[in-house]
Amino acid sequence: MRVADTIFALSSGGLPSGVAIIRISGPETRNAVTNLCGRVPSPRRASLLSIRNRNGEKLDDGIILFFPGPNSFTGEDCAELQIHGGRATVKAVLTSLGELQGLRGAEAGEFSRRAFENGRMDLVEVEGLADLIAAETEMQRRLAAEHASGGLSRLYDSWAKRLTHARAMIEAELDFADEEDVPGSVASSIWADMRILEKEIINHLGSARAGEIVRDGLKVVIAGPPNAGKSSLLNHLAKRDIAIVTDIPGTTRDILHVDLDLSGFAVRLYDTAGLRETEDIVEREGIRRTRLSMEEAHLVLLLSDMPTSDWASWLGTYRGPVIRVHTKADKTTATWPDGAVDATISVQTGVGMSELLDAISRYLPDLEAGSSLALPTRRRHLENLQAASAEIASALSMTDTGLDIQAEHLRLAGQALGRVTGRVDVEDLLDVIFSEFCIGK
């Protein structure tokens, strides 16, 4: 990536639109604005200017903003051209920018990557920004906003500072043990705090499931025998025909899903192939995929329209939470064994549907309104936090190996935390992280 280049891109989404925003960042930003608009506006003050190509032809009138570095999103000189959002107009302005010396179109996530490289954001904040753009529910928005604003980073930075302080105390004892103002032992001053820190990290890791559900949604698999009403339930909840519904067993062969917004959380419902013994090769593959989906689920809705107490035969090796659902309540009058079902529904009459949704809601994280959402959400977060916890545990347990060895384990714990925020050793992560962004970000 050529950081010396000045980059530009449409940053405001799809066209046509009422207003389109073109972002520019880099050392040639001032010259680019001067070439197109005749002058550079005062910093951070909106100016209405005409935009012209190099032949002097007027392309549009727009609001122009200039942000001198380092006080900009990327830390470089930046500008925004707010123009009319017609496809031809935007194309003409982008073409004119591309004709200027030293300018090129931005790569995916390049503006945010420059913000990271120039110290304007850390990796957790960058990931939070990406999640904020993609957020579809209120809890996803809150989680992403917490991360993008640095809430999670501040927690990790506070832990890193405690590790640094502990190492400093150890170094002081090792190097200046004869000095009167240096404690004779660091045990009472830092090891108690390291035990507390280890517990804090372990408790934080315990919230990873909640973070996963908030960010990616509660994964709910609808399972059961053929013709139990799985596809009908999916269509009812989606309020449209997602799955084919017939009286012929085995209609569903592949995994279908629909996303719901339930109490501000994303809930992803999966319709699956009916569970039964079959010689049909395609249906057997569908059942195999059903089993895999169940193993990855946070919750299984196990459906049956006929009385049964032998739900376990359908669950297979799945051992997670289950809601047993009696379907087609409007059509069957058979008596069910006591305690055999958790919910009774009919998609035709709507009976029991609100109670079923309430039952699903009980498996959502219990997060109070206004509470902090400083939760780990990505696998790399978990792996590095687990590594930090393990190194602290090693430092605490190696009381007979010497303070220098213990200090080395604390240094490795600090490095692991640093890899979460991007303070150390992150070059191999950058291409993956920033490739998830849209071009104008």
Side-chain angles (χ1 to χ4, degrees), residues 173-218:
E173 178 162 331
L174 290 172
D175 295 342
F176 306 103
D178 295 333
E179 299 292 333
E180 294 182 359
D181 58 347
V182 174
S185 172
V186 298
S188 60
S189 57
I190 64 116
W191 295 121
D193 184 53
M194 290 300 97
R195 290 187 183 91
I196 294 172
L197 177 56
E198 181 191 16
K199 291 180 181 178
E200 289 179 5
I201 295 176
I202 291 173
N203 290 339
H204 183 66
L205 285 167
S207 67
R209 182 179 181 277
E212 176 190 356
I213 290 174
V214 174
R215 179 177 181 266
D216 299 325
L218 183 75

Side-chain angles (χ1 to χ4, degrees), residues 7 20 83 87 108 138 182 223 250 265 301 312 316 333 338 345 362 394:
I7 57 175
I83 62 176
R87 289 189 176 89
E138 174 60 16
V182 174
F265 290 86
L301 302 183
T333 58
D338 291 341
I345 65 169
R362 288 195 282 274
S394 295

Side-chain angles (χ1 to χ4, degrees), residues 131-190:
D131 290 343
L132 190 60
I133 294 170
E136 295 182 347
T137 69
E138 174 60 16
M139 296 307 296
Q140 287 176 332
R141 182 201 65 78
R142 283 183 53 197
L143 178 73
E146 179 84 16
H147 290 194
S149 63
L152 189 59
S153 299
R154 285 190 290 274
L155 175 64
Y156 295 158
D157 287 343
S158 71
W159 289 347
K161 288 178 181 177
R162 288 162 67 181
L163 286 167
T164 301
H165 174 262
R167 290 174 54 205
M169 293 293 290
I170 293 174
E171 294 294 339
E173 178 162 331
L174 290 172
D175 295 342
F176 306 103
D178 295 333
E179 299 292 333
E180 294 182 359
D181 58 347
V182 174
S185 172
V186 298
S188 60
S189 57
I190 64 116

Side-chain angles (χ1 to χ4, degrees), residues 296-428:
E296 297 173 355
H298 297 121
L299 172 66
V300 167
L301 302 183
L302 193 55
L303 275 55
S304 177
D305 62 336
M306 298 296 293
T308 180
S309 58
D310 187 24
W311 300 93
S313 62
W314 292 322
L315 290 173
T317 60
Y318 175 76
R319 293 295 179 267
V322 177
I323 297 177
R324 300 166 299 174
V325 184
H326 165 207
T327 60
K328 304 181 184 179
D330 58 310
K331 295 182 178 180
T332 61
T333 58
T335 303
W336 286 69
D338 291 341
V341 297
D342 304 305
T344 299
I345 65 169
S346 167
V347 298
Q348 298 298 323
T349 66
V351 168
M353 295 306 301
S354 60
E355 289 79 6
L356 177 60
L357 291 176
D358 288 342
I360 295 173
S361 296
R362 288 195 282 274
Y363 291 90
L364 295 169
D366 185 14
L367 302 175
E368 296 180 2
S371 63
S372 171
L373 286 178
L375 306 172
T377 58
R378 284 173 163 79
R379 180 175 296 276
R380 72 173 197 89
H381 297 177
L382 302 184
E383 290 174 349
N384 286 300
L385 289 167
Q386 288 165 349
S389 176
E391 294 294 348
I392 295 173
S394 295
L396 290 168
S397 65
M398 294 184 175
T399 54
D400 298 330
T401 59
L403 287 176
D404 54 343
I405 301 299
Q406 291 177 287
E408 174 63 12
H409 284 291
L410 295 183
R411 184 186 70 82
L412 293 174
Q415 276 196 338
L417 283 177
R419 286 194 293 272
V420 179
T421 57
R423 308 297 186 202
V424 294
D425 190 25
V426 296
E427 187 60 32
D428 57 332

Side-chain angles (χ1 to χ4, degrees), residues 220 222 234 237 256-258 260 267-271 301 360:
V220 181
I222 305 173
L234 184 79
L237 294 173
L256 304 176
H257 74 265
V258 64
L260 303 180
V267 175
R268 175 161 286 190
L269 290 162
Y270 294 86
D271 182 23
L301 302 183
I360 295 173

